[in-house]
Amino acid sequence: MPHHEGPRLRPPHHRVERRAIAWWMVRAALIPVPTALVTGVLYLLIPPARFVFGPVFLVVALFALAYLTVMPLWRYRVHRWETTDHAVYTSSGWLWQHWRVAPLSRIQTVDTVRGPLEQLFGLSGIKVTTASASGALIIRGLDRGRAAEVVEHLTNATQATTGDAT
Amino acid sequence: MTPDATRDVNGDVTREEKVGVEHGAPAAAEPDWHRLSMRLIPVHLTWLVAPVVSGVGTLIGTGGRLNLQALLTIASFTVAFLIVAGINLTRVLTTGYRITEARLELRSGLLFRSRRSVPLERIRSADVTARPLHRLLGLATVNVGAAVHGASAARSLSLDGLTLPQAHALQQELLNGRAARLVRRSTAADRDEAVDPAEPPVPAPVAELSWTWLRYAPLTIWGVGGLLAVLGICYNTLHEMQIDPLKLGVVHQLVAAFTAVPLWVAVPALLLLVAALGTVVAVGQYVEGWYGYRLEREDGGVLRLRRGLWKHRSVSIEERRMRGLELVESLLLRWGGGARLYAVATGLGNVEENRTRGILVPPAPRAEALRVADELSPVRQASPVAARLTAHPGVARRRRINRGLAVVALVTAVVALPGIWVPQFLVAAGVVAAVLLPCAVWLGVDAYRALGHALVGDHLVARSGTFARRTVALQRTGVIGWTVSRSVFQRRSGLLTLTATTAAGRGAYRVRDVTLAEGLSLAEQAVPDLLTPFLERG
C-alpha cells in the first residue's frame, strides 16, 4: 500500500561488502548447524529414540536451511550506510528494518569493532555513540581500510564540536 | 566484539579528566578538606550486631554446647562482618572532600588511596538522601551526578555520612554556587546583576502534598504487588530456616477454616482480604515515600523536590537540563482520574534512576499533574503534555486488536492442549477464550485510542500505551537523532514507528504506527534539516 504523495526514505548510498553475506551466514550457522548435526548423529546411533530425534532433526535442519539462505541475502539488500558532512545515516535489519540518523554534532565517540569472525573475513565495523542511552549506530560489514577511512572522517568532522553533545 | 580503536571525539572531556588526576599537587591557598561525620562510626558498628546476636542466640538455643560446625559458622560470620565494618570505618576515617575554585575533589582509602576530582561545571545534580538510621543521628548522604566520560563515569560520586546541615550546604554550594558562576560568566559586563549565593532564596513551592491524594495510593501496583513481595520474602526466609510455613499451626487452622466455608464465600472473602491488605500496604508506601512532598523552583534555575517520611530524599534538577515532561497514567490510576508527572532531563542516571529521581508529581489528580506541568513550562502557558493530538491511522487499531487476539489464541491453545486426553480442558479453554476475547478487543481499542502525536511549539508530543499510558512532550532541540523502524507487518500496512533519540530520560521516545508520509513529515518538521537530505519525494 504505497502512499506516493508524501516523502519517502531513500536508501543510504553505500552497500556493505559482499563478504558480509558469508560472514552473516557463518555467524548464523554457529548454533543451528551443530544442533542439526548432533540430532542427526543421535538419530542414526539410537534407533529406539528415532521417533524423537527424527522430527527434531527435520525441524532444526529445515529452519537452519531457510534461515541461512534467506537471512544473509535479505540483510545484504537492506544494510546500507552513508556519511555526509552533517550526519551518519544507516539502514539495517531484515524482518524488522531500521533506518537511523545521527547528526555529527551530537556524536560522542567513534569506535572500531571487530569480532573474531569478522577478522576472518577481513571485515570491520564502526560504532558511533551519541549521548542517548538508546544505543549506538553500528555499521557492520565494512572493508577494514574503508572502515578506517570512515572513522578518520567522522573523528575529524566531529572534533570541532563544542559542549558535551547532549 | 573487540574494540580495536577508541577515539574520544570530544577531546576536551578526556583532557579535563586527565587534568583532574594531575590536579593532586596542592596549589596555593587551597581550601581545607572536609571530613565525614564521626557519628557515622556507631552506624557501621551495627554490622557487628548480627554476629553477636546470632552467636548468643545459638548459645542459648543449644544450651551452651557448641559443636565445631556451629562454632566455625559463627566464626566465619564474625570475620566477614568485621571485615565489612572495618572497610566502612576506614572509609569514614579517610574520606574527605573539598570544593576548590573550579572542582569538587574527593579522596578516600588507606591502602589504596583514590582521589577523584570533577569540574564543577560538569556536576549536574546533587541529591541528599537520609535513611532512617542516618536520620536518627542527623546524618545524610549526598549523591553527586556528574557528566564525566571514561572508566570513572560508572561510579557515582557519593558522600555517605555528612551531617544534615553539612549535606545541605554542600548541595547548595554545588548547585547554587554553580548557577552563580554561570550567571557571573554570562553577565560579566554588568556584575551587579549576578546572583549572590549568600542571600538565601525564598522559593514558593510549585506543588505540595495534599492528603486527599492518598485516595490514589490504592490505585498503584504497590498494594497487592508489595503484599505478595512481603509474603514471598516471609515464605522464603522461613523456608531457608527449614520451616515449612504451610505446616505451621496457624496456617493449618486458616486453611482448615477456609476449606470449611463454601467456595463462593471463601474466594470473594479472600480477594477482599487481599485487596484490603494491599490497600493498607499501598497507603503506607505512599505516606512513606511522599510525606512532606514539596516541589520548589529555586533561584538559579534549579528544581528541588523533597519527600519521604523515614527516608528523606531531596532531588535537584537543573532546569537547563530539562528536555521535557512525561505524564504517566497507569491503567488503574487512569480509571481513577489520576496521573504521575516525570521530568525528562539529562544527567539523572540510568533508566531506573530516571524513574526514581525524575518523578515530579506522585500519583495525584490528573489536573494537578497538568497544573504542575503548566507551571514548569518556560512561558507558563498550557503545557504541551495536555495538547490535543493527531490520531493514528485505523490500521494501527487492527494491529493492536490482532495482537490481543494472538495472545488469547496462545493462552487458549495452552489450556486446550491437555484436552486431547482430558476433555474437560476443552471446556475450560472455551471459558477462558470467552472471558479473554472481549478483554483483548477492549485493550486493543484502548491501546489504539492512546496513540497520538503532535508538534506543539517547541515540543514533540507523543502518546501511547494502555497499561501505562505515557504522554511525553520532548523539546525539539533535545532530539539528537531519529530511528525509523518497520516490521514486516508495518511495511505491508504502510506504517512506521518513529523513535526520537535524546540524551535525556529514557533516551528514546517513540511515535508508534504512523503512516509513512505522516511519520517522515513529522520528523522533518520537528528537527529541520536532520532527516531532509535522506528523503525523496514523488
Side-chain angles (χ1 to χ4, degrees), chain B residues 19 71 111 124 226 376 491:
Chain B
V19 170
L71 214 60
L111 295 175
R124 293 183 171 179
L376 293 183
R491 292 202 290 274

Side-chain angles (χ1 to χ4, degrees), chain B residues 440-451:
Chain B
V441 172
W442 183 84
L443 284 174
V445 172
D446 187 62
Y448 169 72
R449 271 202 240 112
L451 291 180

Side-chain angles (χ1 to χ4, degrees), chain A residues 1 3-11 74 82 84 86-89 94-104 106-116 118-119 127 130-135 138 140 144 148 151-152 154-155 158-166, chain B residues 1-13 122 124 147 149 321 323 346 351 398 477-494 496 499 501-508 515-518 520-521 524 530-531 533-538:
Chain A
M1 260 176 281
H3 298 259
H4 278 296
E5 69 274 15
R8 278 169 303 160
L9 274 173
R10 68 164 172 76
W74 198 338
E82 175 178 343
T84 68
H86 304 288
V88 186
Y89 177 38
W94 58 301
L95 289 177
W96 275 266
Q97 297 178 2
H98 307 278
W99 291 261
R100 305 193 62 175
V101 186
L104 297 193
R106 306 298 190 131
I107 290 175
Q108 289 193 325
T109 60
V110 183
D111 298 359
T112 312
V113 285
R114 203 160 49 221
E118 280 169 296
Q119 295 189 30
K127 187 172 164 190
T130 63
S132 168
S134 77
I138 301 179
R140 306 300 287 264
R144 268 185 88 148
V151 169
E152 194 68 40
L154 288 179
T155 312
T158 51
Q159 204 90 67
T161 313
T162 52
D164 54 6
T166 58
Chain B
M1 254 184 261
T2 44
D4 186 63
T6 306
R7 294 180 192 211
D8 201 322
V9 165
N10 220 331
D12 67 326
V13 175
R122 294 205 166 260
R124 293 183 171 179
H149 293 264
R321 294 280 161 207
R323 295 289 181 274
T346 62
V351 174
R398 206 185 62 210
T477 47
V479 176
I480 61 169
W482 294 111
T483 302
V484 171
S485 317
R486 309 185 74 193
S487 68
V488 180
F489 303 112
Q490 282 179 312
R491 292 202 290 274
R492 268 181 39 194
S493 11
L496 63 82
T499 307
T501 50
T502 167
R506 278 179 285 124
T515 60
L516 198 54
E518 223 177 341
L520 297 176
S521 311
E524 211 180 350
L530 179 51
L531 201 60
F534 311 114
L535 296 180
E536 56 187 11
R537 282 154 225 279

Side-chain angles (χ1 to χ4, degrees), chain B residues 239-259:
Chain B
H239 196 79
E240 288 297 310
M241 292 163 73
Q242 310 291 337
I243 299 166
D244 189 349
L246 297 181
K247 285 188 182 143
L248 283 178
V250 191
V251 181
H252 242 329
Q253 278 166 15
L254 275 177
V255 171
F258 186 73
T259 43

